[in-house]
Amino acid sequence: MTPLHLVLRALYRWCRRTFPCPVGSSKMRGRGAEMSRKDCVKVAVRVRPFNKRERDAGSRCVISMGPNATSILDPRTQQARTFTFDYAYWSHSGFVRNKDGLFVPEEPGSRYADQNSVFQDLGQGILENALQGYNATLLAYGQTGSGKSYSMIGYGPNKGLVPSLCERLFQAIKVNQESRRCQLFFSMLEIYNEQVIDLLSRGPRLCGGLKVREDQQRGFYVEGLRRVPCESATQVAQLMEQGTRTRTTASTHMNASSSRSHMLIILQLKQIFSKENTTKESNMNLVDLAGSERQRTLTSEADRLKEGAAINLSLTTLGNVIRSQRIRAIYLTKNLGGNLTTLHKSHSTHSSLAEVAMGKRAVYVPYRDSVLTKLLQSALGGNSRTIMMATLSPADTCYEESLSTLRYAERAKRIQNRAVVNESPTERLLKELKAENAKLHLRLARLGHEGRQADDQTKELRKLLTHNELQIRAIQTLWEQHLQEALRDWEQQYATITQERRMIQMYPYILNINEDPQLSGVIKLFIQEGEWDIGLSDSTPRAITIKGLGIQAKHAVFTNVERRVSITPVGQAKVIVNGASVPCKTQLQHLDRLILGSNSTYLFIGFPSERDGNDWSRYDYDYFQSELAAAEGIHIHSLCEEKSLGSPSGGHGQPDPSLLAVFYDYIKLMPMVAEANQMSQELNKGVVFKLEIKNLAMSDSKGHDLEKEIAVRVMLVENKQVWMWSKAKFINRKFLMEEVYQQQVVQGEWCDGSAPPRDEDPFWDPLEPLHLGSAHLWLQSLAFRLQLEEQVEMLGPEGTEEAVLQLQMVPCSPAGLPLGEDGILIDPSELLGRRLDFQLVLEQCAGIRWLREAKDRGVQIAFRVYNIPQPFYTAPVWHNVNPLLDYRLQFTVINTCQDFLSYLQTSALVLELWGLQEGCKEMTSSQEGLRLTAEGSVVIDEASALNTMLLEESLPSDLSSSQQAMHQDLEKLRNLNAALRKENSALRDQLSGTRENMDLSNKADRRGSLRPSCDAELARALKVFYHDMNAVRSQLQKVRRHKPKEDVDLSSLTLFVEEQGLLLKDFAEQLEQSITALKQDVAAIIRKKREKSGIWS
């Protein structure tokens, strides 16, 4: 039995003898419990400055703050929402950097909140509570990159809450050393994927992490968590550095992202008051929670598998706990007048409220559902004084995340805790044990004179005496033993730090770069003279050991000869320098960027003479990924050029924020895709992942750009099966892949070659139709009842040609017969109130790229018409690159309204190309809700006609008569329009100065006979012009898509300029020919009209 167990047992026995009630009850605590009160969780919000991404995007700040009030503006609706919290810290603007590197207000009275201001409000309160004997908790919550780590830990001279708190704590210990003896224990742990990792452990990491246990007295605790005694703030800083180093190594080991993990720092303060014979113990839990990103998961994107590897379980459960506590607080306030009479027990999973007649309601608080909420149970509705800091991103692009954070904080401030002073009679126990030992010695002395008859009693007394002495020794020596062990660790760490500082001044090295800025620059791997192998293996004395996905046993060789450092990949090992893959020996320069394996990122730091005081902080994780994306031809400038090609303004000015968001999503997912490909390779899955930008070159039926999104194309190489996953689905699957990888490769499970069932395999999905591309058929010609024969290109999401579709749009009679030239309209308004029938004919789809890649595939074409909600699908065609579709469908508009006419004049019919694979379910058109004519034509305006009929029936008589009057007025306006048109023609004839005495009625008759033929000729001319303009539009699309490659030489660029000139020349010629032909046709019609009317003799 350890000394700690002896102490706890002695304390427990003493308390049971002294107090009749159970340990841990409110009566046991005496005055501390009587003086305790309900404490609501205090909530602070802090908004950070714009980061580089947001400045480049020209983001607008949507956060504003007043005294304790925080408002957020919806950038779309311009509606503001206001929240009230205990503290509101404006750290967005109004600051400068002084000579010491501290960010301070730029002028006296500025509202800028620096690190010291935050500590005075929050850290000082935690410190005072701890010195009084209360437990205290600080939670930092917010989106990744919103400033949580900066507020908690700080950066450089701008120290955060944790280091400032430790400094002030030891200052307070020094001031009060005469009245009390203080002992401080430091622990640091991380929770990732529901596994607890001790960041201060000296031994190997346990498989599955440390276990969370429950004790009746202690509540939930981490079994085997290392507690290190500290006597100064410097020692705490060294422990934090050690924990950060372990965290960095662990994230590389587990292929984990620090933004998805929670970090807990636990400070246990013990104050021994000799005069009062009492001890006060308080736990300070300082928690940096994982990023609170909301993933858009629409119903159509719901994944068939569970959420990835319990990654979000702790954060989700924390939200459920806060929500339950909020309901609990509201219920108590309304029904019990704020009198919290029923507290949850430490071993209970829920809080039973007072049972009342109406429903006997009890509020369930799911503490046991995750590791994090188990450890934070006392902080959320228990024995602790708790502060939550919610950090906000100010940019309009982060509006949804910031609003979610504010709502989360709004719920948290309603939580009610009942904090008590944690006192224990340790000193009194020591005195009583010593007094009891003295009595035992006297009894033993008396029994010694009574002889052998008292042998049994003597043995029992000696056993009890020895037990008491062990307890006394354990209480007195526990702290000293821990301190001696810690001092030995300090000496080893000091020697390591001294050696590292000496080597920095002698040798070049590579520095780790992490997604979390707090973890960057922690690991330094020195390259001494000669050749050094870098990789997994440490079998040779000249080896540099690194671990991570895609790292080989001997991955590469560093050579340091004559003050020149080079790197040589070994075999097929992946080595990237400055964004480009290197297959052979490459010399390194100071501040070169290295990526080893799938995503182990390092910055090369040259010899001391080469450094020149350069600041390497600008080479952050995003810089590495942006460099990789640029090598693949994806960078923000090219995306903006793509956007500007279809923009009327030419795309000048600030980059489109939506494109910036897509670009940063792209570089965020790049390393994850690389890791997924590496896991697929090592697990022999044969699956390849590739990033794509969805809707990059696509628009809706109005011609407006569709929202750009990142998607992941997944292909099974063996049979070329393809899936398309959304960003949210891929992230979820990637975490599940990590779980499989850990079990099969790292932990050695499934060594017999077995694998999880296919339905549980994160690399597999049931096959579904894939959206390949779309084409636009503009409907203006239908407004003139002109027949349209068209050949349109079906373009993919990135602007590539997927197929060419031949089709017709044919105005027809109700029986389906095409209209002649007499049916052509000059004025589209003549359609209003009349019936319109037309047929869509899809003849052939040629050159389908989807089928060229694999013959065992098929395609279908889908489209939507007007306001009919369900899409129409052609019959599937298989195994044919140039299939004949032979698809014909007739539509009818019974009563053409202005809305439908506007639809024809401003909209296009979007024809979507969908790819099918063997085993994939074909898409079928639904006839539900459709109305058909007697001839089998689909009625388009049924809904509007039905609504009109219902409206007329439901309208009062006066409104109905008003509507009839409006119809009559409309008819009068039409007649007046026709009369004015005739009068205009008559006036034109009068101005000619000829045939002044001709009877106007005879002229009108002659004009009436001439008009049909002239209108038909004009309609034919317009029809030819529409057809020519379609060819011109196709030529313009070719010009837009024709771009030079990224890495072109001068000759290739010259060839590109020549080709572009020829394309522009063809475009100009076609446009000029079309306009010239239209002018000639119109001039001929006018000349013929005047000749027949007798204007020219």
Side-chain angles (χ1 to χ4, degrees):
M1 186 175 293
T2 63
L4 179 60
H5 285 90
L6 293 173
V7 173
L8 293 175
R9 285 189 57 183
L11 281 170
Y12 180 72
R13 288 173 50 200
W14 182 89
C15 292
R16 290 298 298 267
R17 292 199 306 268
T18 307
F19 301 100
C21 59
V23 176
S25 69
S26 57
K27 294 181 180 179
M28 178 255 179
R29 297 186 179 92
R31 288 189 307 168
E34 294 172 3
M35 295 177 64
S36 68
R37 60 183 179 84
K38 288 174 295 181
D39 297 296
C40 287
V41 171
K42 294 187 180 300
V43 177
V45 293
R46 189 181 191 186
V47 58
R48 60 160 174 78
F50 284 135
N51 58 26
K52 183 179 182 300
R53 291 184 187 180
E54 294 158 351
R55 287 195 302 271
D56 292 344
S59 299
R60 294 185 300 111
C61 179
V62 295
I63 304 293
S64 58
M65 287 183 171
N68 302 337
T70 301
S71 298
I72 183 168
L73 182 71
D74 189 333
R76 294 163 297 188
T77 64
Q78 300 302 309
Q79 298 293 321
R81 296 192 57 177
T82 301
F83 301 82
T84 303
F85 300 107
D86 298 282
Y87 305 98
Y89 297 113
W90 179 264
S91 300
H92 176 67
S93 60
F95 62 93
V96 294
R97 193 171 197 164
N98 66 12
K99 61 180 181 180
D100 298 324
L102 293 172
F103 295 111
V104 296
E106 61 183 354
E107 58 185 23
S110 171
R111 62 172 178 164
Y112 174 74
D114 58 8
Q115 295 284 63
N116 186 58
S117 301
V118 176
F119 175 79
Q120 291 300 326
D121 290 336
L122 306 184
Q124 191 66 35
I126 293 175
L127 176 61
E128 292 174 358
N129 287 329
L131 292 174
Q132 293 172 20
Y134 292 102
N135 292 332
T137 301
L138 174 64
L139 303 171
Y141 179 87
Q143 178 187 2
T144 298
S146 61
K148 298 191 306 296
S149 297
Y150 177 78
S151 297
M152 291 289 287
I153 308 299
Y155 188 79
N158 297 279
K159 295 181 179 179
L161 284 166
V162 176
S164 298
L165 175 63
C166 294
E167 288 181 358
R168 302 292 179 88
L169 177 59
F170 283 105
Q171 291 175 8
I173 290 174
K174 186 176 181 181
V175 170
N176 298 302
Q177 60 184 354
E178 295 182 359
S179 61
R180 69 194 78 171
R181 289 185 294 114
C182 294
Q183 301 171 0
L184 182 71
F185 289 90
F186 180 93
S187 299
M188 190 172 180
L189 62 90
E190 181 181 44
I191 301 174
Y192 179 81
N193 194 19
E194 289 301 285
Q195 294 184 14
V196 179
I197 304 168
D198 186 355
L199 297 177
L200 302 180
S201 175
R202 291 171 292 188
R205 187 176 68 86
L206 296 176
C207 180
L210 301 178
K211 302 299 181 184
V212 176
R213 305 293 187 189
E214 185 179 11
D215 182 81
Q216 191 172 10
Q217 283 75 42
R218 299 169 62 187
F220 289 107
Y221 67 96
V222 179
E223 184 181 44
L225 181 66
R226 190 178 176 212
R227 299 166 63 246
V228 182
C230 300
E231 289 188 310
S232 68
T234 303
Q235 294 177 347
V236 172
Q238 291 178 358
L239 286 172
M240 289 178 61
E241 184 178 344
Q242 176 187 344
T244 303
R245 183 185 295 270
T246 305
R247 192 182 186 199
T248 306
T249 306
S251 67
T252 305
H253 233 165
M254 298 175 62
N255 190 32
S257 170
S258 64
S259 65
R260 312 296 295 175
S261 65
H262 313 281
M263 184 187 70
L264 280 74
I265 292 176
I266 304 171
L267 299 172
Q268 296 175 306
L269 176 64
K270 182 177 181 181
Q271 302 174 85
I272 302 171
F273 298 85
S274 301
K275 293 182 180 179
E276 293 85 356
N277 294 328
T278 59
T279 299
K280 292 182 179 180
E281 297 185 12
S282 57
N283 291 333
M284 289 170 277
N285 297 312
L286 311 174
V287 188
D288 187 355
L289 294 170
S292 61
E293 286 74 42
R294 296 169 63 251
Q295 294 181 4
R296 292 184 304 169
T297 50
L298 302 177
T299 305
S300 60
E301 294 179 348
D303 198 349
R304 64 185 178 85
L305 298 180
K306 65 177 183 178
E307 187 175 357
I311 283 294
N312 291 325
L313 179 60
S314 284
L315 208 58
T316 303
T317 305
L318 180 61
N320 293 336
V321 167
I322 289 175
R323 190 177 297 108
S324 301
Q325 287 288 2
R326 175 176 176 267
I327 295 172
R328 180 174 177 237
I330 294 173
Y331 181 81
L332 288 170
T333 302
K334 290 183 178 179
N335 296 281
L336 302 179
N339 182 24
L340 187 59
T341 58
T342 306
L343 292 174
H344 64 273
K345 298 180 181 180
S346 61
H347 59 278
S348 175
T349 61
H350 66 278
S351 299
S352 293
L353 299 175
E355 294 185 355
V356 291
M358 295 181 64
K360 296 186 177 182
R361 182 179 178 182
V363 179
Y364 175 82
V365 184
Y367 292 111
R368 293 178 178 271
D369 289 0
S370 76
V371 168
L372 178 68
T373 49
K374 286 179 182 178
L375 298 179
L376 295 182
Q377 181 175 356
S378 63
L380 302 169
N383 177 23
S384 178
R385 288 183 171 172
T386 302
I387 297 174
M388 173 180 281
M389 171 177 279
T391 55
L392 304 175
S393 300
D396 49 1
T397 54
C398 299
Y399 167 78
E400 295 291 345
E401 298 296 343
S402 298
L403 178 61
S404 176
T405 299
L406 289 170
R407 286 172 173 165
Y408 201 94
E410 177 76 14
R411 292 195 296 267
K413 73 179 185 180
R414 295 180 177 271
I415 297 177
Q416 293 182 355
N417 291 345
R418 184 177 288 270
V420 298
V421 175
N422 302 298
E423 292 183 341
S424 61
T426 307
E427 296 298 317
R428 193 182 308 168
L429 175 62
L430 281 174
K431 289 184 178 180
E432 291 189 3
L433 286 173
K434 290 179 180 178
E436 186 176 353
N437 278 5
K439 292 177 182 179
L440 290 174
H441 279 295
L442 288 175
R443 290 185 62 185
L444 285 173
R446 290 197 212 100
L447 289 173
H449 298 293
E450 297 177 4
R452 292 186 177 180
Q453 296 179 355
D455 282 349
D456 293 339
Q457 190 174 1
T458 302
K459 290 179 181 179
E460 187 66 28
L461 289 175
R462 289 187 182 280
K463 184 177 179 181
L464 183 60
L465 179 63
T466 302
H467 182 69
N468 286 348
E469 288 176 349
L470 286 174
Q471 293 182 23
I472 294 172
R473 192 177 302 116
I475 293 174
Q476 292 177 335
T477 61
L478 189 61
W479 167 256
E480 285 78 5
Q481 288 177 356
H482 281 300
L483 198 57
Q484 290 300 321
E485 293 177 4
L487 288 175
R488 289 193 292 269
D489 288 343
W490 301 137
E491 293 174 358
Q492 294 177 3
Q493 288 185 24
Y494 181 77
T496 302
I497 293 172
T498 303
Q499 182 183 8
E500 184 178 272
R501 290 174 178 172
R502 180 177 58 82
M503 296 184 72
I504 287 176
Q505 301 304 319
M506 296 174 61
Y507 302 109
Y509 57 92
I510 56 176
L511 195 68
N512 80 295
I513 302 297
N514 196 280
E515 183 182 5
D516 186 347
Q518 297 289 335
L519 304 185
S520 290
V522 174
I523 298 175
K524 301 178 182 67
L525 303 174
F526 295 94
I527 306 171
Q528 301 181 47
E529 294 180 355
E531 291 189 350
W532 292 81
D533 299 337
I534 185 168
L536 295 172
S537 176
D538 57 355
S539 57
T540 64
R542 302 185 68 83
I544 301 173
T545 303
I546 62 171
K547 295 184 179 180
L549 268 177
I551 301 297
Q552 309 299 319
K554 185 178 178 181
H555 196 86
V557 177
F558 280 112
T559 306
N560 182 358
V561 178
E562 296 180 354
R563 300 184 65 82
R564 292 183 180 180
V565 178
S566 60
I567 185 171
T568 307
V570 176
Q572 299 299 317
K574 183 180 177 182
V575 176
I576 295 175
V577 178
N578 299 336
S581 180
V582 293
C584 56
K585 186 174 183 179
T586 303
Q587 185 172 337
L588 299 178
Q589 305 294 330
H590 178 55
L591 297 182
D592 274 352
R593 283 78 60 201
L594 306 179
I595 300 180
L596 307 179
S598 63
N599 194 36
S600 298
T601 51
Y602 296 93
L603 185 68
F604 175 71
I605 306 297
F607 288 92
S609 59
E610 301 173 344
R611 295 171 194 170
D612 298 330
N614 291 327
D615 183 15
W616 57 266
S617 61
R618 73 185 185 96
Y619 297 104
D620 58 5
Y621 190 78
D622 281 355
Y623 190 98
F624 278 66
Q625 303 307 323
S626 300
E627 202 168 43
L628 270 181
E632 295 181 5
I634 302 293
H635 48 75
I636 190 59
H637 301 296
S638 66
L639 288 179
C640 291
E641 288 171 4
E642 290 275 359
K643 172 75 173 179
S644 65
L645 288 174
S647 172
S649 63
H652 300 293
Q654 290 289 346
D656 187 343
S658 64
L659 289 177
L660 279 172
V662 166
F663 175 70
Y664 287 121
D665 276 347
Y666 191 95
I667 64 174
K668 176 183 177 181
L669 288 186
M670 279 186 64
M672 301 181 72
V673 168
E675 292 164 0
N677 280 322
Q678 186 63 41
M679 287 187 284
S680 171
Q681 180 180 341
E682 295 188 26
L683 294 172
N684 297 319
K685 293 293 183 179
V687 177
V688 176
F689 301 88
K690 181 185 177 183
L691 279 175
E692 290 188 358
I693 301 178
K694 191 176 178 182
N695 301 333
L696 181 61
M698 303 184 77
S699 56
D700 61 12
S701 62
K702 297 288 185 181
H704 302 146
D705 289 338
L706 293 175
E707 184 179 358
K708 311 298 182 288
E709 295 179 0
I710 294 296
V712 179
R713 185 182 179 91
V714 186
M715 186 174 75
L716 186 61
V717 178
E718 182 180 1
N719 53 17
K720 294 188 177 181
Q721 290 180 343
V722 180
W723 298 265
M724 193 65 70
W725 289 351
S726 67
K727 170 188 169 185
K729 184 172 185 176
F730 171 73
I731 291 175
N732 181 51
R733 289 299 183 89
K734 196 257 181 180
F735 291 126
L736 286 169
M737 294 172 198
E738 288 179 9
E739 191 174 67
V740 172
Y741 182 83
Q742 291 288 327
Q743 292 173 339
Q744 191 166 351
V745 176
V746 179
Q747 299 174 13
E749 297 182 15
W750 303 326
C751 294
D752 57 352
S754 63
R758 189 175 70 166
D759 290 344
E760 299 177 9
D761 189 352
F763 292 88
W764 179 85
D765 239 5
L767 292 173
E768 296 177 351
L770 296 181
H771 181 250
L772 304 177
S774 62
H776 286 62
L777 179 66
W778 294 96
L779 302 173
Q780 299 103 320
S781 62
L782 199 57
F784 297 91
R785 292 204 301 205
L786 282 170
Q787 180 173 341
L788 179 64
E789 298 179 7
E790 185 69 278
Q791 182 172 292
V792 294
E793 293 178 320
M794 307 201 81
L795 301 179
E798 297 184 353
T800 57
E801 183 182 295
E802 297 292 333
V804 175
L805 181 63
Q806 296 177 5
L807 51 83
Q808 293 185 48
M809 184 69 75
V810 184
C812 62
S813 67
L817 299 176
L819 297 180
E821 293 180 352
D822 293 340
I824 298 174
L825 302 177
I826 299 301
D827 186 357
S829 63
E830 296 180 27
L831 271 177
L832 293 174
R834 299 170 62 178
R835 173 168 175 159
L836 174 66
D837 291 271
F838 63 92
Q839 291 180 352
L840 175 66
V841 182
L842 304 181
E843 298 174 343
Q844 185 176 16
C845 195
I848 304 175
R849 191 161 71 107
W850 170 252
L851 291 168
R852 288 203 305 264
E853 295 173 353
K855 296 294 184 181
D856 57 343
R857 293 175 175 176
V859 292
Q860 284 183 272
I861 292 177
F863 59 92
R864 285 183 171 87
V865 179
Y866 191 41
N867 58 1
I868 298 178
Q870 60 265 46
F872 297 91
Y873 297 102
T874 63
V877 289
W878 294 84
H879 320 301
N880 192 344
V881 178
N882 304 302
L884 293 173
L885 300 177
D886 194 22
Y887 178 84
R888 183 184 298 264
L889 187 61
Q890 182 169 327
F891 297 93
T892 298
V893 181
I894 297 176
N895 185 6
T896 303
C897 61
Q898 182 61 51
D899 183 66
F900 182 75
L901 185 58
S902 300
Y903 166 74
L904 295 181
Q905 292 174 322
T906 61
S907 301
L909 189 69
V910 180
L911 300 144
E912 299 176 343
L913 181 66
W914 289 83
L916 305 176
Q917 303 170 79
E918 287 192 358
C920 172
K921 186 177 180 181
E922 298 174 352
M923 300 179 293
T924 57
S925 302
S926 172
Q927 299 293 326
E928 183 179 356
L930 290 181
R931 180 187 168 195
L932 303 179
T933 65
E935 298 83 6
S937 177
V938 178
V939 179
I940 292 180
D941 61 341
E942 178 192 10
S944 58
L946 181 62
N947 290 338
T948 302
M949 182 177 65
L950 293 175
L951 182 62
E952 291 177 353
E953 292 177 356
S954 62
L955 282 175
S957 59
D958 54 343
L959 292 180
S960 180
S961 60
S962 299
Q963 188 182 24
Q964 292 177 2
M966 291 176 65
H967 281 299
Q968 293 174 0
D969 292 341
L970 179 61
E971 193 64 30
K972 289 179 181 179
L973 288 173
R974 287 176 182 165
N975 295 334
L976 180 61
N977 184 30
L980 288 173
R981 202 177 294 152
K982 291 181 180 180
E983 185 177 355
N984 187 31
S985 300
L987 290 173
R988 190 182 300 114
D989 291 338
Q990 289 177 2
L991 288 174
S992 66
T994 60
R995 302 192 180 184
E996 296 179 357
N997 298 322
M998 183 178 292
D999 184 65
L1000 291 178
S1001 61
N1002 294 334
K1003 182 185 293 187
D1005 292 340
R1006 186 182 293 114
R1007 286 184 53 79
S1009 63
L1010 291 176
R1011 175 166 181 165
S1013 61
C1014 293
D1015 287 350
E1017 291 175 0
L1018 181 59
R1020 281 194 294 270
L1022 289 174
K1023 181 178 179 181
V1024 172
F1025 178 71
Y1026 274 123
H1027 188 274
D1028 291 343
M1029 288 307 295
N1030 286 327
V1032 171
R1033 187 188 298 117
S1034 300
Q1035 185 66 20
L1036 179 59
Q1037 291 175 350
K1038 290 181 180 179
V1039 173
R1040 286 177 173 175
R1041 292 196 302 272
H1042 188 243
K1043 298 177 184 176
K1045 297 181 179 179
E1046 294 294 331
D1047 49 347
V1048 294
D1049 53 15
L1050 183 58
S1051 59
S1052 300
L1053 191 59
T1054 304
L1055 180 61
F1056 166 77
V1057 172
E1058 293 176 356
E1059 293 174 350
Q1060 189 78 351
L1062 292 175
L1063 288 174
L1064 288 171
K1065 182 180 178 181
D1066 292 343
F1067 169 72
E1069 289 177 353
Q1070 289 186 19
L1071 182 60
E1072 185 177 359
Q1073 289 174 2
S1074 301
I1075 296 175
T1076 302
L1078 179 63
K1079 287 180 179 179
Q1080 292 174 352
D1081 291 341
V1082 172
I1085 293 170
I1086 294 174
R1087 188 182 305 109
K1088 182 177 180 181
K1089 186 175 181 180
R1090 288 179 176 177
E1091 288 175 353
K1092 290 186 177 181
S1093 63
I1095 295 177
W1096 296 332
S1097 56

